[in-house]
Amino acid sequence: MLVPVRGGPEDENCAMAQALGVVGDAWTLLLVRDVARGAHRFEDLRAGLGLSRKVLAERLRLLTGAGVLEKVPYQEHPPRHEYRLTPRGRALLPVLLALQDWGDTWVLGEGETMATADGESREAERVHGLRGTVLPRLLLPDATGTPLDPVAEDAEFTVLYFFPAAFADPAAYPPGWAEIPGARGCTLESCTYREEWPAFAARGTAVRGVSTQRPDEQRAFAAKERLPFPLLSDAAGELAAALRLPVFTTAGTRRLKRLTLLVDRERVVREVWYPVPDVVASVGAALAAVRERGGG
């Protein structure tokens, strides 16, 4: 016989119930999403979400009271402040990515695990909507664990290529990896960027690869393939959540789908390639885009 338990929102011993008490409505999670994307001020959040001032103020009070957001002064006269994610708030980013993954797969998609997408899908439309947006300032660990800005400050352009995973040991790939559409080709992509790296560098363009792998995994792969550019780890999902990048889950691990961004020194996304059906051609397309824009 089952023993009755308190399973409602008032259950103080249920972590799920207590968490939903903080982030249990759509507007609250969307606020966390937009702060992660770089909207920190009240009017920017209001314009982005279309909320009334009253409702927005209530949600912000809830999130600051719960320690998800903190108010940071940015002006003294008159006093003004903006909202930033706390460590507790950043810990919600994987939750947002899980919701996005579920939505892309089961609401917008057909339930198939994929490392790519149909070029006419709403997922692809969302990614191409990044053109003209500004990358928020954040740091990701490189293969040595050193925090690094994804956008190179000393370069006219930065090519950011996002890939699912690449390992020094082929046996490290998850079971069934080769059967996931779009998953194969990460080593070929990185090695093609390695071969074309002098041409990018000659045009004042930096190249950086990003995956959700641990830095030690990236370090072993980069050493084996002699990559002359850094690989960055977005294992915490900060950049993926900030840009709403498409992800997929396999073997219990969330991976980035393959896509490429061309970003200028002002951090503005100038070009987007997604999906990427041909990794060699995508490297050539990125180099051609730099040439067209007069890089170097």
Side-chain angles (χ1 to χ4, degrees):
M1 178 179 178
L2 292 177
V3 178
V5 297
R6 294 166 55 207
E10 73 286 350
D11 189 346
E12 298 177 355
N13 294 322
C14 177
M16 186 181 297
Q18 292 302 303
L20 289 172
V22 177
V23 295
D25 68 88
W27 290 121
T28 303
L29 283 175
L30 292 176
L31 264 174
V32 174
R33 179 201 68 184
D34 281 13
V35 172
R37 292 172 64 188
H40 301 298
R41 299 181 182 179
F42 188 95
E43 292 303 329
D44 293 335
L45 291 166
R46 182 168 174 261
L49 291 170
L51 279 172
S52 70
R53 298 182 68 87
K54 178 182 178 182
V55 173
L56 178 56
E58 290 174 348
R59 295 303 193 282
L60 290 172
R61 277 196 297 270
L62 170 66
L63 290 172
T64 53
V68 173
L69 298 178
E70 62 178 341
K71 296 169 67 173
V72 179
Y74 70 88
Q75 178 179 300
E76 292 185 5
H77 305 290
R80 294 285 187 271
H81 56 264
E82 57 189 17
Y83 295 90
R84 298 278 179 171
L85 290 173
T86 64
R88 179 178 291 190
R90 287 192 294 274
L92 276 171
L93 298 182
V95 176
L96 295 182
L97 290 176
L99 284 171
Q100 179 177 278
D101 183 12
W102 183 82
D104 281 338
T105 303
W106 295 100
V107 180
L108 302 183
E110 303 298 327
E112 181 182 6
T113 297
M114 300 178 65
T116 184
D118 188 303
E120 303 301 318
S121 66
R122 282 182 284 176
E123 177 185 313
E125 183 179 352
R126 180 184 79 236
V127 175
H128 281 273
L130 289 171
R131 193 178 286 107
T133 61
V134 179
L135 264 69
R137 293 189 178 275
L138 51 80
L139 300 175
L140 300 179
D142 67 8
T144 68
T146 303
L148 192 67
D149 191 332
V151 180
E153 293 184 358
D154 58 348
E156 189 170 350
F157 294 102
T158 300
V159 172
L160 289 174
Y161 73 96
F162 299 85
F163 61 97
F167 296 94
D169 181 2
Y173 286 96
W177 183 261
E179 282 69 52
I180 299 174
R184 298 181 65 181
C186 299
T187 298
L188 176 60
E189 183 176 29
S190 292
C191 291
T192 304
Y193 272 111
R194 178 193 65 200
E195 298 306 311
E196 296 292 353
W197 179 76
F200 281 106
R203 288 163 178 81
T205 300
V207 175
R208 292 180 174 178
V210 185
S211 75
T212 60
Q213 294 173 264
R214 302 190 312 268
D216 63 296
E217 294 174 330
Q218 293 181 336
R219 183 166 59 252
F221 173 72
K224 178 185 177 184
E225 302 301 339
R226 307 183 311 281
L227 300 184
F229 50 82
L231 298 181
L232 305 180
S233 172
D234 193 27
E238 289 195 64
L239 187 55
L243 299 180
R244 292 193 298 164
L245 299 180
V247 296
F248 70 103
T249 301
T250 182
T253 301
R254 190 161 294 110
R255 307 286 185 185
L256 289 162
K257 293 188 179 182
R258 191 186 315 282
L259 66 100
T260 306
L261 303 178
L262 179 65
V263 186
D264 67 20
R265 66 168 69 248
E266 281 73 42
R267 312 183 73 83
V268 177
V269 177
R270 293 302 181 186
E271 192 54 82
V272 178
W273 290 274
Y274 184 72
V276 179
D278 185 328
V279 295
V280 174
S282 73
V283 177
L287 185 55
V290 172
R291 287 170 173 158
E292 290 171 6
R293 287 165 173 76

